[in-house]
Each structure stands twice: as structure tokens, then as C-alpha cells.
């Protein structure tokens, strides 16, 4: 059975590359300093067709415009490229390496990490995504005292296909991130995403997960009105049509529990006051900063060993959880912290399996 026939029978896309180890994180509505908090208006289009509409959002005297390029706005699926690039930079920073605004990688690495097809079609779609990311421009005003400053930037500044084989498959790609994205990376304004994010088939499902990851986080529950959710999703549908789309996601999730990290439910209220409720599944690792520094930094090789013991898990998030656990324990710090951490990861995987 091929990927496409399987996808038609399941809620999630097939896991095309089950053996992988990748630190996944993403900027979820990160904003330049001084800009409106959170850039609540969605930047990425939910449409699977070219979206060439100018978007403008205003709030308390601030505004933001998202202007499409000649190929249309960047889509939710194009976001995968940013997730991959950001992940590479964050992983490098966590290992103590200096990072640069330009990220170079092989095309197959990105396609594999983001659960995309590695066929010629997969490379064609990747090239189109790069062009939309480079073409989408953002303008916003920044209020500083009695002055208003208009700032413009892109999702990526440029991209270059360094080498391309005769059959059209990209060998090496270099992406230069925009100042906006790079500054957010250096400040670690990122959140870890569940690997099944890349298996969500519908744009609306990805946007719902992004919002839940940001607003619900590790809280038990997050509630939001249907009309406000529609605005945050950037949906151009009528409210009744948007409700139908949400109800379909809810029905699928009730049947298969396919939404990562959070269940989603719809509570219909009187006079159209409907609520969408996200409840944590308890699968998001602790995002707190390490609270026990007694053991000091771990060796770089330790992270590799930890990945082997807990395949599929973000070892840096596991490290935070491990340090938090030690901080709450009355036991003295381990004499061999690197071995202790690897052992912790092994037990974590034994009890929980793959994320």
C-alpha cells in the first residue's frame, strides 16, 4: 500500500521516515521588540491554493500588514522550512556552538525531518515553498513614545540552491533567515513541537495545534470563543463554515485522538457563544529552565547517547525535566551526571515509548 492510499484511510499522514532524530522547535507568533505583543494575526495562509490577498490587522493603534509575493502568501506547510532551520540553530546553541543567520543543509535532510516525500515532487514543492517564504513581506508600525516607526521584513531574506542534480533533486540549500526570525532564535523565543505536527494533513489542524501549544502550553485546559479563534486562525470562511470545519476536526479527534499534545472539543452555547476547548494530554515536557546547576554542563557526547536511549524525544527538554526532578529530590547530586542523565532518558523511554 502506498503513502497516498494509506493517507486516505487515516487521519494522520503516514510516518514516512520513522527512524530519525531531530530537535523540533518553532517560533509561534514571535515578535520584534516593541512590536505588538504576540503578532496575534496569523502570518501564514491556510489556503492550499495561491493566496494573493493583502492582510492587515489593527489593535490599539498598532497595525501589521502581510503582503504576498508573486506566488502568493507563505502557507502553514511552508512553515516547515522555518521550523527546520530554527531547530538547527537552537540545537547548535544548546551545544555551545556559534550560529549564523544563514543555514545550510541538504534537501533530503529537511524532507526527511518534516515527514515530506523525498521524490522529485517533494523537491518541487520544497522549491515553491522557498519562493513563497522569500516573497512574503511583513510591515508593522512600532510605537515608541511620541514616534511611530514603520518596519518591514520578510520571513526569510533569501535562499540559494547550492547544487542541483540532473534529475532536479536539490543537494544543498542555504537559507538566510530574516533579522526578525534570527533575533527571536537568539532570544530562544521558541516552543518545542510534537513530531506528529508534521503528520497533520489539514492546515486548520496545524494552526489549531500552534495556538494550543502557545496558549495552553502545560496548563490543563484552554478555552477560546469560536469567533476569536477564527480570527487567530486567519480563516476567511464565514463563521458557520468555520464552525463546520472545527466540528470535523473535533469528530476526527474524538474518534482517533490524532491531535498531538492536546485534545480539542466544541462546546455549543446559546446565541452563538460557542467555545472551543483544548485539554492537555500531559505529553508536553517541562519547559522550565534548569533549576539545579549543581551537576554543571553535560558533555556533548552525552546528548548523542541520550538520543539513542530515547529516540524521538527532545533530549534538551528531557534534560530540563531531569534537572527539575533533581532539584525537588533530597538526594545529593550524582557523582557521574552524564551517566545519570542517560539512565534517566532510558527509563523515560521505557515507560513512555515514542512521543
Amino acid at each position: 500500500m502506498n503513502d497516498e492510499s494509506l493517507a486516505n484511510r487515516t487521519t494522520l499522514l503516514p510516518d514516512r521516515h520513522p527512524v530519525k532524530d531531530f530537535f523540533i522547535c518553532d517560533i509561534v507568533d514571535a515578535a520584534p521588540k516593541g512590536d505588538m505583543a504576540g503578532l496575534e494575526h496569523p502570518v501564514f495562509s491556510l489556503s492550499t491554493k495561491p493566496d494573493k490577498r493583502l492582510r492587515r490587522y489593527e489593535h490599539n493603534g498598532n497595525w501589521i500588514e502581510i503582503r504576498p509575493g508573486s506566488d502568493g502568501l507563505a502557507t502553514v506547510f511552508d512553515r516547515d522550512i522555518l521550523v527546520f532551520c530554527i531547530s538547527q540553530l537552537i540545537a547548535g546553541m544548546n551545544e555551545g556552538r556559534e550560529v549564523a543567520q544563514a543555514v545550510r543543509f541538504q534537501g533530503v535532510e529537511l524532507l526527511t525531518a518534516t515527514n515530506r516525500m523525498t521524490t522529485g515532487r517533494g523537491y518541487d514543492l520544497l522549491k515553491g515553498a522557498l519562493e513563497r517564504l522569500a516573497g512574503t513581506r511583513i510591515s508593522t508600525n512600532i510605537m515608541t513614545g511620541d514616534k511611530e516607526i514603520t518596519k518591514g521584513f520578510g520571513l526569510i531574506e533569501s535562499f540559494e540552491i547550492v547544487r542541483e542534480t540532473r534529475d532536479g533533486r536539490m543537494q544543498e540549500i542555504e537559507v538566510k533567515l530574516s533579522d526578525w526570525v534570527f533575533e527571536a532564535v537568539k532570544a530562544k523565543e521558541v516552543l518545542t513541537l510534537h513530531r506528529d505536527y508534521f503528520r497533520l494533513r489539514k492546515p486548520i489542524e496545524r494552526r489549531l495545534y500552534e495556538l494550543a501549544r502557545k496558549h495552553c502550553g502545560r496548563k490543563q485546559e484552554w478555552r477560546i470563543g469560536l469567533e476569536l479563534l477564527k480570527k487567530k486562525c486567519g480563516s476567511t470562511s464565514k463563521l458557520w463554515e468555520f464552525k463546520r470545519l472545527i466540528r470535523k476536526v473535533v469528530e476526527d479527534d474524538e474518534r482517533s485522538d490524532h491531535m498531538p499534545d492536546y485534545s480539542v472539543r466544541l462546546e455549543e452555547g446559546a446565541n452563538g457563544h460557542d467555545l472551543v476547548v483544548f485539554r492537555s494530554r500531559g505529553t508536553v515536557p517541562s519547559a522550565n529552565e534548569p533549576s539545579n546547576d549543581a551537576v554543571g554542563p553535560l558533555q556533548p557526547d552525552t546528548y548523542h547517547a541520550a538520543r539513542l536511549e530515547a529516540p524521538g524525544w527532545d533530549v534538551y527538554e528531557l534534560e530540563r525535566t531531569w534537572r527539575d526532578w533533581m532539584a525537588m529530590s533530597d538526594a545529593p547530586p550524582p557523582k557521574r551526571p552524564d551517566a545519570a542523565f542517560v539512565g534517566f532518558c532510558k527509563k523515560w523511554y521505557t515507560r513512555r515509548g515514542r512521543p
Side-chain angles (χ1 to χ4, degrees):
M1 183 178 294
N2 59 35
D3 280 355
E4 294 305 321
S5 60
L6 182 60
N8 289 334
R9 296 180 55 187
T10 59
T11 306
L12 290 172
L13 286 169
D15 191 353
R16 297 186 174 100
H17 317 286
V19 181
K20 57 181 179 289
D21 183 27
F22 182 58
F23 179 74
I24 299 173
C25 59
D26 183 29
I27 293 180
V28 179
D29 292 337
K33 288 186 179 180
D35 198 356
M36 67 182 72
L39 282 183
E40 290 188 355
H41 192 69
V43 173
F44 297 90
S45 172
L46 297 180
S47 177
T48 55
K49 298 179 180 179
D51 188 346
K52 298 187 176 182
R53 292 167 294 182
L54 172 70
R55 299 186 179 195
R56 183 180 176 93
Y57 172 73
E58 298 185 24
H59 182 68
N60 292 336
N62 291 323
W63 56 264
I64 177 174
E65 286 185 352
I66 302 98
R67 188 179 301 274
S70 59
D71 297 308
L73 290 170
T75 72
V76 168
F77 294 103
D78 299 341
R79 189 187 188 108
D80 292 356
I81 297 173
L82 283 183
V83 173
F84 180 85
C85 291
I86 294 165
S87 299
Q88 301 304 298
L89 296 180
I90 292 291
M93 292 168 62
N94 286 336
E95 292 176 359
R97 294 186 277 113
E98 288 196 16
V99 296
Q101 203 160 340
V103 184
R104 180 173 289 198
F105 52 89
Q106 293 192 355
V108 69
E109 294 174 342
L110 184 147
L111 295 175
T112 300
T114 57
N115 199 47
R116 290 176 173 236
M117 297 179 292
T118 55
T119 60
R121 173 64 173 162
Y123 284 92
D124 289 341
L125 293 173
L126 175 56
K127 189 173 183 179
L130 286 166
E131 291 170 346
R132 285 187 294 273
L133 285 170
T136 300
R137 303 295 298 178
I138 299 170
S139 298
T140 183
N141 68 331
I142 300 174
M143 303 298 294
T144 56
D146 58 350
K147 295 181 179 180
E148 177 178 315
I149 302 172
T150 299
K151 184 177 179 67
F153 48 90
L155 295 171
I156 63 175
E157 284 302 314
S158 61
F159 72 90
E160 180 178 342
I161 300 172
V162 179
R163 191 165 65 247
E164 190 169 356
T165 58
R166 292 180 180 178
D167 63 359
R169 298 192 180 192
M170 306 170 192
Q171 293 296 303
E172 292 182 350
I173 302 170
E174 183 173 285
V175 174
K176 184 177 181 182
L177 300 176
S178 67
D179 293 341
W180 169 56
V181 173
F182 191 58
E183 288 300 320
V185 170
K186 290 194 295 183
K188 292 193 174 182
E189 296 173 353
V190 296
L191 293 173
T192 302
L193 303 183
H194 195 287
R195 293 175 186 277
D196 282 349
Y197 170 81
F198 296 115
R199 298 181 62 195
L200 294 173
R201 300 178 60 208
K202 301 176 182 178
I204 186 65
E205 291 176 333
R206 290 197 174 201
R207 183 58 181 157
L208 290 176
Y209 174 79
E210 292 165 4
L211 290 170
R213 185 66 187 87
K214 177 186 178 185
H215 293 287
C216 190
R218 288 178 54 80
K219 294 186 296 185
Q220 184 175 359
E221 183 179 279
W222 176 55
R223 293 170 171 258
I224 183 172
L226 184 68
E227 191 167 359
L228 180 57
L229 180 63
K230 176 180 176 296
K231 182 179 181 181
K232 283 182 172 290
C233 285
S235 173
T236 57
S237 303
K238 299 291 186 182
L239 187 59
W240 64 268
E241 172 65 14
F242 181 74
K243 181 176 180 178
R244 186 187 67 81
L245 294 173
I246 296 298
R247 184 182 288 119
K248 182 64 171 67
V249 174
V250 169
E251 291 172 353
D252 289 341
D253 191 53
E254 288 178 336
R255 184 181 68 253
S256 61
D257 288 332
H258 75 293
M259 290 293 288
D261 291 330
Y262 309 95
S263 66
V264 55
R265 299 295 181 262
L266 176 64
E267 294 185 358
E268 301 188 49
N271 301 319
H273 294 155
D274 303 317
L275 290 174
V276 179
V277 182
F278 297 87
R279 293 191 177 93
S280 173
R281 300 188 192 275
T283 55
V284 179
S286 173
N288 296 329
E289 291 300 318
S291 54
N292 187 340
D293 295 325
V295 300
L298 300 176
Q299 296 297 318
D301 289 346
T302 300
Y303 297 103
H304 175 69
R307 292 186 184 102
L308 296 178
E309 295 293 350
W313 289 92
D314 173 1
V315 295
Y316 300 104
E317 291 290 352
L318 290 181
E319 181 187 6
R320 293 187 181 98
T321 303
W322 174 64
R323 290 179 183 272
D324 287 344
W325 171 74
M326 287 193 299
M328 294 183 292
S329 173
D330 294 329
K335 294 181 179 179
R336 299 173 58 204
D338 294 271
F341 175 60
V342 173
F344 172 85
C345 292
K346 183 177 181 179
K347 291 182 180 179
W348 183 280
Y349 185 80
T350 300
R351 294 174 180 175
R352 296 169 175 81
R354 294 188 68 88

